[in-house]
Amino acid sequence: MNTAQDLTAAVPVPADWAGAAPAPIGVDQAFNGYVAGTVINALDRLGVWDRLAADPLLDLRVLAAELGPAVRERELREIVRAAATCGWVRLQNDGHTALLTTAGQEVIRMRGYFTWGVGGYNEVFAQAHRIVAGEAEFGTDVLRDEAMVALGSGQNDRSFMAGTLDSVLADVDFSVLADLGSGISARVSRVVGERPGTRGLGLDISGPATELGHRTIAEAGLTDRVRAIRTDVLDVCHRAAHRESLAEVDTVMSFFLLHDLLADPETRPHTFTRLREAFPAARTFVFADTMLRPDSEDSPALPVFSLGFELAHALMGVPLHTKETYEELFAGAGLVPRRVVPFGTPHSWLYVLEAH
């Protein structure tokens, strides 16, 4: 009987596959990682990470009382104990207090990935077998949690994209900024809030995300300068109701939405031309997206996010594209790159494009 190593060696490599296989993920890593991801998300939903970020020493008895009379303190302590097993906190005072560790600080910085994956796409991954077997369809039988996808994107933006975006936008002069696929409108609120005299539109097709956007804008004190609008700007009928607002926009930004807009092969070649038509006065477009990993990538380990991003979109039937494909489509719509920079998430790029 062959050993596991023999069996692995016997698996043929496709002739057109140019990449080098990353190191295998062990079964223990896979299972523990799955459980650990749910712990990260649960603590985030309970507000524990925010509390620890504000004060790295947290009294669990005080936390339980503040969460309300219905909270199950024993279960809360078990989730925190699991976090301690993972090394993100240290339990002290007979388990009554939790101390944030350096590894826990990194979890707080990266938690948006888990909000996106566990909170947003959990059902898609859990029902993968039914989708493959033809027993269920994404969008009807299987849904993602759009509000959690938007929230996760907002968390990631604050953690490791905001600085890059601010640096890029410092060189962009705008009066009215539209954020296409704005999610909870966190990004457009932050950018407009830091630029006196400007206004912004948060545009998203998701009802739940738009509702969260109204709250985000209000909490930022920007209701007089930023609006969250539920609309599909590529749909002529949808955008007609907001034609005057869209016509004022001089700069459009969109982050991690383009692959959805490019999903239909029939409309794909004209997508960016249609975007230009939706914003007739816009001369600058700031676009960012996560792109398909190149076949030639030579990495000893999988980066965070890439595997989940690619699998989720495969299950949803949304194709992903290479950096070269994006640049061909930009050129076809008369959008010329002025600046291109890496953008936080692996295989993600930020473009500043000028309309010609």
Side-chain angles (χ1 to χ4, degrees):
M1 183 175 179
N2 289 337
T3 64
Q5 184 175 4
D6 292 335
L7 289 171
T8 301
V11 175
V13 176
D16 61 349
W17 192 76
I25 295 176
V27 173
D28 55 343
Q29 293 175 294
F31 186 83
N32 292 334
Y34 167 74
V35 176
T38 66
V39 169
I40 291 174
N41 187 64
L43 292 178
D44 200 35
R45 301 283 68 73
L46 291 167
V48 174
W49 294 126
D50 284 336
R51 292 285 301 270
L52 286 168
D55 184 348
L57 191 62
L58 178 61
D59 188 315
L60 299 182
R61 293 165 295 190
V62 173
L63 173 65
E66 292 181 350
L67 288 176
V71 71
R72 296 171 175 169
E73 185 174 347
R74 184 184 69 82
E75 286 81 354
L76 171 65
R77 288 177 178 272
E78 288 301 316
I79 293 176
V80 174
R81 188 170 71 86
T85 301
C86 294
W88 302 325
V89 297
R90 284 202 302 270
L91 294 178
Q92 299 179 344
N93 188 25
D94 292 329
H96 292 304
T97 56
L99 176 67
L100 184 68
T101 66
T102 300
Q105 293 173 353
E106 180 69 357
V107 166
I108 292 175
R109 191 175 77 91
M110 305 283 276
R111 59 181 157 161
Y113 288 122
F114 299 90
T115 303
W116 180 93
V118 180
Y121 280 94
N122 177 66
E123 184 67 13
V124 177
F125 292 135
Q127 298 299 324
H129 64 291
R130 296 184 63 225
I131 295 173
V132 172
E135 299 171 356
E137 292 288 339
F138 174 78
T140 53
D141 310 296
V142 179
L143 303 174
R144 62 183 174 181
D145 188 321
E146 294 177 345
M148 288 299 100
V149 171
L151 178 59
S153 298
Q155 289 174 322
N156 279 351
D157 172 56
R158 292 189 297 273
S159 291
F160 42 80
M161 298 174 189
T164 300
L165 178 61
D166 289 346
S167 174
V168 168
L169 289 180
D171 296 328
V172 176
D173 185 24
F174 67 88
S175 296
V176 182
L177 176 69
D179 188 2
L180 183 61
S182 60
I184 62 173
S185 291
R187 185 182 290 108
V188 67
S189 296
R190 182 179 58 77
V191 173
V192 169
E194 294 173 355
R195 192 82 65 97
T198 63
R199 291 181 290 124
L201 298 177
L203 308 173
D204 203 285
I205 198 172
S206 165
T210 302
E211 287 302 314
L212 286 175
H214 293 311
R215 187 190 313 168
T216 300
I217 293 167
E219 290 175 350
L222 293 169
T223 53
D224 59 333
R225 295 172 54 200
V226 181
R227 293 172 57 203
I229 300 173
R230 182 184 183 185
T231 187
D232 178 359
V233 298
L234 292 181
D235 186 300
V236 175
C237 295
H238 268 248
R239 72 181 187 232
H242 308 288
R243 190 185 309 276
E244 292 183 5
S245 296
L246 299 183
E248 294 182 316
V249 172
D250 54 50
T251 299
V252 178
M253 63 181 184
S254 184
F255 301 88
F256 308 106
L257 173 71
L258 300 185
H259 54 275
D260 289 316
L261 300 183
L262 298 173
D264 187 340
E266 292 188 7
T267 60
R268 186 179 303 145
H270 315 294
T271 297
F272 295 116
T273 300
R274 292 168 65 198
L275 277 180
R276 291 191 61 179
E277 293 170 352
F279 303 97
R283 305 258 62 79
T284 303
F285 293 79
V286 182
F287 288 156
D289 208 0
T290 300
M291 302 173 188
L292 192 64
R293 282 180 296 163
D295 289 339
S296 59
E297 182 178 65
D298 184 4
S299 175
L302 285 170
V304 67
F305 188 60
S306 293
L307 180 62
F309 181 77
E310 293 172 4
L311 177 58
H313 286 83
L315 294 170
M316 291 188 295
V318 177
L320 301 178
H321 307 284
T322 63
K323 186 170 180 282
E324 290 73 19
T325 297
Y326 278 83
E327 293 176 353
E328 290 172 4
L329 292 170
F330 292 152
L335 297 175
V336 179
R338 192 176 84 194
R339 188 173 179 187
V340 184
V341 297
F343 198 48
T345 298
H347 304 293
S348 300
W349 296 88
L350 175 64
Y351 285 80
V352 178
L353 302 145
E354 296 294 338
H356 288 269

